[in-house]
Amino acid sequence: MSKVSPLVDGLIEAMQCLPGVGPKSAQRMVLHLLERNRDGGILLADIMAKAIEGVGKCQKCRIFTESEVCAICSNEKRDKSCICVVESVSDVFAIEQSNQFNGNYFILHGHLSPIDDIGPDQLALEKLFNLAKSEEVKELILATNSTLEGETTAHYIYDYLKDLDDLRLTKLAQGVPLGGELEYVDRGTIMHAFSGRVELKE
Amino acid sequence: MSKVSPLVDGLIEAMQCLPGVGPKSAQRMVLHLLERNRDGGILLADIMAKAIEGVGKCQKCRIFTESEVCAICSNEKRDKSCICVVESVSDVFAIEQSNQFNGNYFILHGHLSPIDDIGPDQLALEKLFNLAKSEEVKELILATNSTLEGETTAHYIYDYLKDLDDLRLTKLAQGVPLGGELEYVDRGTIMHAFSGRVELKE
């Protein structure tokens, strides 16, 4: 802290609300903005205020958007019968980048975690269940994270919906990641990769 | 890029004006703000706009401040006869943290670099020279960085002022850093440490 300027000190302090930014990098960022990129800083402050003010959740899939219904949900070319359920918006970004999925999404914004007071209501599971029961949905891909909480959440959803006859429930394939060296793959993954091994001879 | 929301995409883009922030960490920061800390984001945007708008340079030492004269320059308890000349505001923060210096500063905001079009005018050397010539200043510590450009800048200042009889011109001691293992100290530093070695017997 400089104690030279309350505004500069305040900005260094406020900068630390960003994830991964401590006192040192906050100071570097602030001095960089003041020294070399005031226009960029003004623009950043402006769009940050506008985005936080204007961005809410899509009424259908709960992704962050400033519209009522997001661009993915309102895209007529996407397959509305297949819904991929993910924990967070960054999962959607990752899947979209792979260009492998042309269905719609449902973002839980978290996972079941009684200890943090996150139950079915916080994840809008009621909304997901209604969607799953609707005529147009044929498949739900449960793509929550492969962690204890993620698996628990997927199991909870599976349990509630498993008796719907017309609904296919799937999860992502588990195994050795592409380019992963077997030596460095963890035990659990190797276990899954073995038990899910694929026949080579047709 | 998500292509889901222009505002979210725009904020991810704008975030990358911060030093050390690429597309991936920008995305993580934006989703973190939207997901978990909207209040912090609003506050950050607000103080960022205010700081960039309101913070200028101290009329005396050129540090960033919202006042005409900064807290250091207007502090009566500090020794106005000794001026420490540094390249950037972060140098001042580092020196202040060490609590070893009670004089005033002069911030060049850079170093001489003809290739980047940075000459004596950009560093306000005229202002520094006038300050050095004033009655109250007795010593100038040239604490520019120990790089080629920093040394050149210090030498330029030294050259201009060396004939002033009443002015002491000094530079920081060079040698092995505290806690530094000799094995990992670079050749130039070892050279300086040897040539500047200190007598142990009084």
Side-chain angles (χ1 to χ4, degrees):
Chain A
M1 276 307 152
S2 68
K3 281 173 209 141
V4 176
S5 154
L7 267 180
V8 174
D9 290 353
L11 182 52
I12 292 175
E13 182 75 36
M15 215 51 134
Q16 294 174 49
C17 81
L18 297 173
V21 176
K24 266 280 170 188
S25 37
Q27 178 186 307
R28 196 162 59 97
M29 286 172 172
V30 169
L31 292 180
H32 174 91
L33 285 184
L34 290 171
E35 193 94 60
R36 292 197 202 102
N37 199 356
R38 290 191 177 226
D39 292 346
I42 290 282
L43 191 79
L44 173 58
D46 181 55
I47 196 162
M48 194 182 294
K50 277 192 188 129
I52 292 175
E53 201 74 31
V55 169
K57 288 174 185 164
C58 169
Q59 282 191 347
K60 289 195 169 173
C61 74
R62 302 180 86 219
I63 204 171
F64 289 130
T65 177
E66 58 265 50
S67 327
E68 281 199 18
V69 174
C70 75
I72 293 178
C73 289
S74 53
N75 184 344
E76 286 301 325
K77 286 190 187 138
R78 297 190 73 123
D79 180 6
K80 284 179 177 29
S81 75
C82 183
I83 308 282
C84 180
V85 181
V86 294
E87 287 186 32
S88 83
V89 176
S90 48
D91 299 331
V92 176
F93 290 178
I95 295 171
E96 284 296 286
Q97 260 168 4
S98 78
N99 264 324
Q100 279 302 304
F101 179 66
N102 195 39
N104 280 12
Y105 293 96
F106 187 89
I107 293 106
L108 301 171
H109 289 284
H111 45 237
L112 291 175
S113 173
I115 220 168
D116 301 315
D117 234 357
I118 302 178
D121 283 354
Q122 280 70 38
L123 306 184
L125 290 189
E126 189 73 32
K127 193 186 184 88
L128 174 63
F129 295 155
N130 287 334
L131 188 70
K133 284 174 198 159
S134 72
E135 283 263 311
E136 62 177 9
V137 174
K138 305 286 177 224
E139 179 178 356
L140 222 61
I141 305 174
L142 302 178
T144 51
N145 289 334
S146 195
T147 58
L148 185 61
E149 294 89 348
E151 300 277 9
T152 310
T153 309
H155 193 264
Y156 184 94
I157 298 170
Y158 168 79
D159 225 41
Y160 191 95
L161 296 172
K162 67 175 188 285
D163 296 328
L164 283 184
D165 285 338
D166 296 339
L167 185 71
R168 211 178 140 201
L169 286 167
T170 57
K171 66 172 195 164
L172 295 180
Q174 277 187 321
V176 183
L178 212 69
E181 291 183 54
L182 211 53
E183 185 177 352
Y184 301 111
V185 171
D186 67 291
R187 223 171 45 165
T189 302
I190 289 191
M191 215 178 68
H192 276 292
F194 265 89
S195 67
R197 65 189 181 277
V198 178
E199 210 65 63
L200 288 175
K201 271 206 265 183
E202 295 288 315
Chain B
M1 276 307 152
S2 68
K3 283 172 207 141
V4 176
S5 153
L7 267 178
V8 174
D9 290 352
L11 182 52
I12 292 175
E13 181 75 36
M15 217 48 136
Q16 295 175 48
C17 80
L18 298 172
V21 176
K24 266 279 170 190
S25 36
Q27 177 187 308
R28 195 162 62 96
M29 287 171 171
V30 169
L31 293 179
H32 174 91
L33 286 184
L34 289 172
E35 192 94 60
R36 293 199 200 99
N37 199 354
R38 291 189 177 226
D39 291 347
I42 290 283
L43 191 80
L44 173 58
D46 181 56
I47 197 163
M48 193 183 291
K50 275 191 189 129
I52 292 175
E53 202 74 31
V55 170
K57 288 173 184 164
C58 168
Q59 283 190 349
K60 289 194 169 176
C61 74
R62 302 182 84 221
I63 204 172
F64 290 129
T65 177
E66 58 264 48
S67 328
E68 281 200 17
V69 173
C70 75
I72 294 178
C73 289
S74 52
N75 184 344
E76 287 300 325
K77 285 187 189 142
R78 297 190 73 124
D79 180 6
K80 283 179 177 29
S81 75
C82 183
I83 308 281
C84 181
V85 181
V86 294
E87 288 186 31
S88 82
V89 176
S90 47
D91 300 330
V92 175
F93 290 179
I95 296 170
E96 285 296 287
Q97 259 169 4
S98 78
N99 264 324
Q100 277 304 302
F101 180 68
N102 194 39
N104 281 12
Y105 293 96
F106 187 89
I107 293 107
L108 301 171
H109 289 284
H111 45 237
L112 291 176
S113 174
I115 220 168
D116 300 315
D117 235 356
I118 301 178
D121 283 354
Q122 281 69 40
L123 307 184
L125 291 189
E126 190 74 33
K127 192 185 186 90
L128 174 63
F129 295 153
N130 288 335
L131 188 70
K133 285 172 197 160
S134 72
E135 285 261 311
E136 64 176 9
V137 174
K138 305 287 177 221
E139 179 178 357
L140 223 59
I141 304 174
L142 302 178
T144 50
N145 289 335
S146 197
T147 58
L148 185 63
E149 295 87 348
E151 301 276 10
T152 310
T153 309
H155 192 263
Y156 184 94
I157 297 169
Y158 169 79
D159 225 42
Y160 191 96
L161 296 172
K162 66 176 188 286
D163 297 328
L164 285 182
D165 284 339
D166 296 339
L167 185 70
R168 213 180 138 199
L169 286 166
T170 56
K171 65 171 196 166
L172 296 180
Q174 276 186 322
V176 183
L178 213 70
E181 292 183 54
L182 213 53
E183 184 179 352
Y184 302 110
V185 171
D186 67 292
R187 222 170 47 164
T189 302
I190 289 190
M191 214 177 69
H192 276 291
F194 266 90
S195 68
R197 64 189 181 278
V198 178
E199 209 67 64
L200 288 175
K201 272 205 265 182
E202 296 287 315

